[in-house]
Amino acid sequence: MSDTVTSRLAGFHKLPLEERLARIGQMFRLTEAELDQLRGENGLDLSIANQMIENAVGTFSLPLGLGLNLNVNGRDYLVPMAVEEPSVVAAVSFASKIVRESGGFYAEADESMMIGQVQVSNYGDPGRASEKILDAKDEILALANSFHPAMVARGGGAKDVEVRLLPAPEGPRGEPLLIVHLLIDAQEAMGANLINTMAEGVAPLIEQLTGGRVYLRILSNLADKRLARATCRIPLPLLADFGLPGEVIAEGIAQASRFAEADPYRAATHNKGVMNGIDAVAIATGQDWRSIEAGAHAFACRKGQYRPLSTWYLEEGHLVGRIELPLALGLVGGPIKIHPGAQVALKLMRATSVRELSMVFAAVGLAQNFAALRALGSVGIQKGHMAMHARSVAVTAGARGGDVEKVANLLVKAGHVKVEKAREILANLPPEPPAVATLTNG
Ligand code: MEV
């Protein structure tokens, strides 16, 4: 299939929806059931939803779009994105087109090493307790791995034990916190269940070794041993836009990066833009996006100040962008297995390993960020955003079919993108010319 898949689908957004589906269906050899899944006609069954959460009363839909033009490490990806914000999918497609013309994104990802934390208290002497744990490393690892032999057989499982002594928060006891880290390779899974089982499973042994008492036994979402990185390098002339030369656009992006590096108030918004892309693809592909969010923001603080996950600078006639963040993703387990929508999205994504998936996620985050900074550092985002926003305002006002675009255009022209204005415009639209009837003999 790989030979027939291209993410460069010129004019895709102008095709009627059914034609877009037909094109994708053909390219990915989707079944009718999978196409219905995309159409939302075969969505998450209520009975499955009922098994997934408590007090289920229904299901909830979001628009699913395809980010186009993405090329990572020489391979094309069509990126399924579930998101309500109008500009997100267009931004990734736009940015990826420019990066593609510059040779595409280069990305890499670490092994799937996760951290399980075990908190020990009342252990007596900190040095001695730490020593006891480290001396029993092999025993602890063997015990942890006994809870998941299948993962061990696949080459994963608990690999190492670390001990951390942390200064005690103010309080009467004064004992340093003793935290044991179990380093666990989750392979193709996100790993939450595996890690929590192992962390809980080794707790009695740790109590026995230290004479202390274990409290929390849980994974850490700061998955900083499971990082993904992406870079791109864009020749300045390719950046020219809005009637401005590439140098000016690039300088605006580099300035935006400096701002985010210096100021947590800006870094938060910068990273929100990065996560616009990453969350959308995470939701579409059935990932635990809260854990991705938690990991990303904790990682952004690792040097003691909240910083941007991506940076941009000028180098030898190029704009260079880099992103690095923890990505605890899964291709197996969790909702992926039971959510039919996630399965179709993963089929479109066609990542053959969780590391490949992480690389695509990182590239999507960098693409999304590029698109935002390019506008912010030059003409501002409102112009582009307003055009997109106008379409949803037109739909809210009741426009359908070809009227949506007409109302949206008139809203932007009027400089007043509000539902009341859209209703007024809609009411005054000239009627469509009658369709020409086709006479048949039957
Ligand atoms: C809006 O959803 C995201 C932006 O605010 C990101 C940014 O400011 O970099 C445009």
Side-chain angles (χ1 to χ4, degrees):
M1 195 198 293
S2 54
D3 299 335
T4 58
V5 172
T6 169
S7 63
R8 180 82 195 95
L9 300 177
F12 189 70
H13 68 286
K14 291 190 195 133
L15 292 179
L17 206 149
E18 271 305 318
E19 275 180 46
R20 268 183 235 143
L21 276 169
R23 184 114 188 242
I24 293 303
Q26 206 176 18
M27 197 189 288
F28 290 90
R29 297 190 198 132
L30 298 182
T31 63
E32 261 317 304
E34 287 169 333
L35 285 169
D36 278 349
Q37 184 65 53
L38 291 174
R39 287 189 189 100
E41 284 165 17
N42 201 5
L44 182 62
D45 199 89
L46 203 51
S47 64
I48 299 181
N50 195 32
Q51 285 159 20
M52 288 173 82
I53 62 163
E54 196 73 9
N55 297 342
V57 292
T59 59
F60 184 89
S61 306
L62 279 173
L64 180 80
L66 286 182
L68 305 182
N69 304 319
L70 193 78
N71 183 281
V72 184
N73 297 337
R75 193 170 193 228
D76 268 16
Y77 297 90
L78 283 151
V79 186
M81 304 176 85
V83 64
E84 84 300 341
E85 192 170 323
S87 57
V88 168
V89 178
V92 159
S93 304
F94 172 81
S96 298
K97 184 160 175 283
I98 295 184
V99 175
R100 179 189 190 85
E101 285 159 17
S102 324
F105 290 96
Y106 287 92
E108 53 174 32
D110 296 340
E111 301 291 322
S112 306
M113 200 63 81
M114 297 289 288
I115 298 167
Q117 297 197 289
V118 181
Q119 179 192 10
V120 195
S121 188
N122 296 64
Y123 47 75
D125 178 66
R128 202 172 143 66
S130 309
E131 211 177 283
K132 289 246 177 198
I133 293 166
L134 291 174
D135 285 350
K137 189 186 273 192
D138 290 345
E139 199 185 341
I140 295 170
L141 291 177
L143 179 60
N145 283 326
S146 71
F147 295 104
H148 220 304
M151 178 57 86
V152 178
R154 289 197 291 273
K159 300 287 183 187
D160 207 354
V161 176
E162 289 174 352
V163 175
R164 298 165 66 231
L165 284 168
L166 306 178
E170 297 209 351
R173 190 171 288 131
E175 163 187 270
L177 293 176
L178 196 162
I179 310 298
V180 181
H181 276 191
L182 265 185
L183 305 190
I184 300 166
D185 180 354
Q187 300 259 304
E188 296 304 301
M190 185 273 185
N193 278 329
L194 163 79
I195 298 152
N196 295 342
T197 303
M198 289 186 171
E200 289 190 6
V202 299
L205 174 58
I206 289 177
E207 285 189 336
Q208 192 190 317
L209 289 165
T210 59
R213 159 122 200 249
V214 163
Y215 284 87
L216 271 63
R217 296 139 292 163
I218 184 78
L219 92 168
S220 170
N221 286 124
L222 177 49
D224 62 357
K225 297 187 188 301
R226 200 175 182 177
L227 302 176
R229 290 163 282 271
T231 63
C232 62
R233 202 176 153 79
I234 309 170
L236 298 187
L238 279 185
L239 293 168
D241 207 345
F242 313 118
L244 299 168
E247 286 76 7
V248 173
I249 303 280
E251 183 55 31
I253 295 172
Q255 286 289 346
S257 182
R258 294 179 63 219
F259 183 4
E261 280 171 76
D263 180 10
Y265 286 91
R266 172 57 207 155
T269 323
H270 178 109
N271 288 345
K272 192 273 184 179
V274 168
M275 300 314 285
N276 270 346
I278 291 181
D279 284 346
V281 56
I283 293 169
T285 56
Q287 308 299 323
D288 178 349
W289 76 92
R290 287 87 55 211
S291 105
I292 298 171
E293 279 280 338
H297 298 299
F299 186 69
C301 278
R302 69 196 181 285
K303 290 180 185 155
Q305 179 184 310
Y306 189 88
R307 284 177 195 278
L309 294 163
S310 60
T311 50
W312 296 88
Y313 56 91
L314 292 158
E315 189 182 77
E316 295 165 358
H318 290 75
L319 175 72
V320 181
R322 293 185 183 284
I323 187 168
E324 183 178 45
L325 79 164
L327 281 167
L329 310 181
L331 274 177
V332 294
I336 295 158
K337 249 197 201 132
I338 39 178
H339 197 299
Q343 283 167 21
V344 179
L346 282 169
K347 185 166 176 178
L348 298 180
M349 189 68 136
R350 74 196 184 112
T352 54
S353 72
V354 85
R355 287 180 63 215
E356 185 183 351
L357 189 67
S358 306
M359 294 180 214
V360 176
F361 270 56
V364 167
L366 191 58
Q368 192 75 46
N369 177 236
F370 166 81
L373 301 192
R374 171 185 161 276
L376 286 168
S378 55
V379 294
I381 57 160
Q382 279 314 81
K383 201 166 160 256
H385 271 206
M386 272 306 149
M388 301 270 187
H389 177 57
R391 273 196 230 145
S392 35
V393 170
V395 172
T396 310
R400 295 293 180 268
D403 285 353
V404 175
E405 208 59 40
K406 284 184 206 156
V407 174
N409 287 340
L410 290 168
L411 279 173
V412 173
K413 219 167 160 186
H416 186 53
V417 185
K418 290 276 178 294
V419 178
E420 323 83 70
K421 183 72 185 165
R423 286 207 186 99
E424 186 191 312
I425 293 173
L426 190 61
N428 292 313
L429 272 190
E432 292 274 322
V436 180
T438 312
L439 292 176
T440 63
N441 290 332

